[in-house]
Amino acid sequence: MIFATLEHILTHLSFSIISIVITIHLMALLVREIIGLRDSSEKGMIATFFSITGLLVTRWISSRHFPLSNLYESLIFLSWSFSIIHMIPKIWNHKNDLSAITAPSAIFSQGFATSGLSSEIHQSAILVPALQSQWLMMHVSMMLLSYAALLCGSLLSVAFLVITFRKNIDIFCKSKNFLIKPFFFGKIEYLNEKRSVFKNTSFLSFRNYYKYQLTRRLDYWSYRVISLGFTFLTIGILSGAVWANEAWGSYWNWDPKETWAFITWTIFAIYSHTRTNQSLQGTNSALVASIGFLIIWICYFGINLLGIGLHSYGSFTLTSN
């Protein structure tokens, strides 16, 4: 009873803190003059990390097994993983460009776990025989850490594509206007327009430089975070193969979950190749990572939603009104 009450308190506390962090982020976008907003959001994410850590530890003690036996627990662990990734730049004293991705991802995963799933799945249960292994902690934790890192890195690549696409459209529109205006407005209007363009050159150069710096940072962090996630994914797949051999007598069974995990690994292996190839960097590698974003959700949610294959113990039902 004590553990259930403590778990209930920590669940709502962590969700409340992360909601406040999101609100602070929105206020920081609207009101840049308030310097303390960013510091408050950083402290909020740290508090969220400790709250979710307390929740996982409490559930671990009460259930007497590592809390990764169903989708509810995996979503809570995924939210915890997002909060860890959020703090990676602070370890290296870098500017935190991940906060716009990690905070919404954490509240989405925890919000869905808390209110999107049926109440039965929230309860701790005895592990099914297939999960009663020391490989549970190793395999599932590595897979979820990889999902969190790959999702964050992929979203950074999507942001990179959006900014690059908008910049190319702006350049196209400006060049089009530059060619059309001399014919429609005459030479005098064109010269006036040209003078105003020169007046605003410094502002446009600064804005273009800012976009250039932003895209470089997005590309930098996307590559770093995806590389981290790819490493976790590789370890998770290898440990899962060893576990499968112990549980089912075969290292690989082409189960739907295994198949989509392999597809995910292949996609991000292609990303690593394109990102390290000088001629394919930038937009090409970001496109591959964006495809990987969809593949991860199919691997994580899609297979569990269908509830088929050897991993069917991870299936779930949504809340019904």
Side-chain angles (χ1 to χ4, degrees), residues 100-112:
I101 301 295
T102 52
S105 300
I107 194 173
F108 170 78
S109 56
Q110 190 167 358
F112 183 76

Side-chain angles (χ1 to χ4, degrees), residues 39-59:
D39 293 334
S40 299
S41 65
E42 294 296 326
K43 292 175 182 177
M45 285 301 294
I46 294 172
T48 301
F49 167 76
F50 284 111
S51 297
I52 300 176
T53 302
L55 170 61
L56 291 172
V57 170
T58 302
R59 198 171 178 91

Side-chain angles (χ1 to χ4, degrees), residues 29-202:
L29 289 174
L30 298 174
V31 186
R32 296 179 179 272
E33 290 77 11
I34 305 177
I35 301 174
L37 285 178
R38 181 174 290 274
D39 293 334
S40 299
S41 65
E42 294 296 326
K43 292 175 182 177
M45 285 301 294
I46 294 172
T48 301
F49 167 76
F50 284 111
S51 297
I52 300 176
T53 302
L55 170 61
L56 291 172
V57 170
T58 302
R59 198 171 178 91
W60 191 351
I61 295 172
S62 63
S63 62
R64 297 181 181 178
H65 61 74
F66 195 68
L68 284 174
S69 60
N70 56 35
L71 186 67
Y72 170 76
E73 293 175 345
S74 72
L75 281 167
I76 297 297
F77 190 89
L78 186 68
S79 182
W80 180 78
S81 302
F82 284 129
S83 63
I84 287 182
I85 294 171
H86 177 88
M87 291 186 287
I88 288 177
K90 293 187 72 65
I91 297 173
W92 293 326
N93 293 320
H94 285 291
K95 182 179 179 181
N96 195 346
D97 296 310
L98 303 178
S99 58
I101 301 295
T102 52
S105 300
I107 194 173
F108 170 78
S109 56
Q110 190 167 358
F112 183 76
T114 305
S115 57
L117 301 175
S118 61
S119 57
E120 289 79 10
I121 204 173
H122 292 187
Q123 306 300 320
S124 297
I126 299 174
L127 288 176
V128 297
L131 296 179
Q132 294 176 5
S133 170
Q134 68 271 20
W135 289 103
L136 172 66
M137 182 187 299
M138 177 71 174
H139 170 62
V140 184
S141 62
M142 286 295 102
M143 293 301 292
L144 288 173
L145 283 169
S146 72
Y147 290 158
L150 293 174
L151 285 170
C152 286
S154 300
L155 284 173
L156 290 171
S157 292
V158 171
F160 173 87
L161 285 176
V162 170
I163 294 172
T164 305
F165 181 72
R166 286 188 62 185
K167 186 169 70 173
N168 291 338
I169 285 188
D170 290 342
I171 293 172
F172 174 76
C173 292
K174 287 174 184 176
S175 62
K176 187 176 180 181
N177 290 335
F178 184 78
L179 293 172
I180 292 174
K181 282 186 177 181
F183 296 98
F184 285 92
F185 296 100
K187 190 173 182 179
I188 296 174
E189 288 81 358
Y190 170 65
L191 290 174
N192 290 334
E193 182 69 22
K194 192 174 180 181
R195 289 192 194 97
S196 65
V197 167
F198 280 121
K199 288 179 182 178
N200 296 323
T201 298
S202 58

